Amino acid sequence: MNRISSQPSLVSLDDRRRPEPPALVLVAHGSRDPRTLNTVHDLLDQLRDRRPDLPVHLGHIELNEPLLPDTLASLGQAEAVLVPLLLSRGYHVKRDIPEMAAASPARTRVAAPLGPHPLLVDTLHARLVEAGWHAGVDEETRRESAVVLAAAGSRDPESAIDTHRTAQLLAERLGVPVVPAYASAATPTVETAIRALTARGRHKIAVASYFTAPGLFARQCAEKAPWIASAPLGTHPAMTDLILHRYDQALAIPATSAA
């Protein structure tokens, strides 16, 4: 399993306390499904457990409070790193979040989205195994097996590139074809991907849920699985590792301010 471990000490060698690090603002999309908000709060708790001296905040793009502009306003002119709880590039990552950050008084850096990254593949693999994916299968079973990577979908072509890269990484891990498919805004659909794989002689098809939390899209995609469907990424420890990794990466980017 990939693991990135970095927890800098806030105490220097001569026992003087270092300044508080820039806040980590986890930027969630927002959802009407209460399970999504519960998952996000659980991730926040994990982040605080891992980095007790790191200020951790939450901001939503829409649908849930606190909204990101309100969270940033509450920070005043403090430094903050915004980590999108999103799995690929797209409109929210490239437009919404930077524009909200630029309109705030806070000195901000915007981290990269979570995907693609090997830690996401660790999580996808673990969720598939939990659902019943066969580990160490024989060659005949491998020839019959495949995975549909079910994602939300976006009209942004870079989002599809990122999802396709995750599918490639997962295929390398599993040793079977992995086809990206989408719940909305992009093709192929999950049903189309399943039909195409079946036509190729792949009869044991799993649906890997490429969603950060439970919700309507995740449920609809899982219901189409002809065999097994994995749970969303959720609060797997690799997710916390990846959020902190994106935060640490972004610290190398100069902070920007609306001033």
Side-chain angles (χ1 to χ4, degrees):
M1 174 180 289
N2 296 281
R3 189 166 182 92
I4 298 171
S5 177
S6 58
Q7 185 161 350
S9 171
L10 292 182
V11 180
S12 63
L13 294 177
D14 58 1
D15 294 329
R16 288 181 299 179
R17 189 166 182 82
R18 296 177 181 175
E20 187 175 73
L24 188 161
V25 178
L26 189 65
V27 184
H29 180 276
S31 171
R32 294 183 177 86
D33 191 317
R35 295 173 299 170
T36 300
L37 192 56
N38 290 339
T39 299
V40 172
H41 280 292
D42 287 344
L43 281 171
L44 291 171
D45 290 341
Q46 290 184 2
L47 291 167
R48 291 172 179 134
D49 287 344
R50 285 280 304 279
R51 298 267 186 98
D53 296 306
L54 176 62
V56 176
H57 303 272
L58 172 63
H60 291 95
I61 297 170
E62 59 183 2
L63 298 176
N64 295 120
E65 294 182 348
L67 292 172
L68 179 57
D70 296 331
T71 296
L72 294 175
S74 73
L75 296 176
Q77 294 184 339
E79 285 192 75
V81 175
L82 281 56
V83 181
L85 189 61
L86 301 169
L87 302 175
S88 64
R89 291 169 291 176
Y91 188 84
H92 292 315
V93 169
K94 292 156 67 172
R95 291 286 303 275
D96 285 341
I97 296 174
E99 287 177 1
M100 292 177 191
S104 79
R107 291 171 291 152
T108 58
R109 301 170 173 89
V110 179
L114 299 186
H117 195 277
L119 285 168
L120 286 176
V121 178
D122 287 344
T123 308
L124 287 164
H125 180 260
R127 295 300 188 220
L128 282 167
V129 171
E130 291 168 0
W133 181 262
H134 32 68
V137 298
D138 57 70
E139 187 58 33
E140 182 179 353
T141 303
R142 192 182 302 278
R143 285 196 298 268
E144 294 179 347
S145 303
V147 172
V148 172
L149 183 67
S154 169
R155 292 182 178 86
D156 190 312
E158 289 188 317
S159 177
I161 290 170
D162 291 345
T163 304
H164 189 267
R165 178 57 182 155
T166 299
Q168 288 179 318
L169 292 171
L170 185 59
E172 292 168 6
R173 174 72 64 87
L174 299 175
V176 302
V178 177
V179 176
Y182 304 96
S184 69
T187 56
T189 64
V190 173
E191 302 99 311
T192 300
I194 289 171
R195 286 198 298 269
L197 286 166
T198 302
R200 291 163 52 186
R202 304 281 174 169
H203 304 295
K204 293 182 74 68
I205 301 172
V207 172
S209 184
Y210 197 41
F211 300 93
T212 56
L216 177 63
F217 282 166
R219 178 178 60 78
Q220 289 176 339
C221 292
E223 289 173 350
K224 295 176 174 63
W227 177 38
I228 59 172
S230 64
L233 304 169
T235 57
H236 189 279
M239 295 294 287
T240 307
D241 290 342
L242 183 51
I243 292 166
L244 291 171
H245 174 58
R246 292 303 193 207
Y247 169 87
D248 292 334
Q249 279 185 318
L251 287 180
I253 303 170
T256 59
S257 170

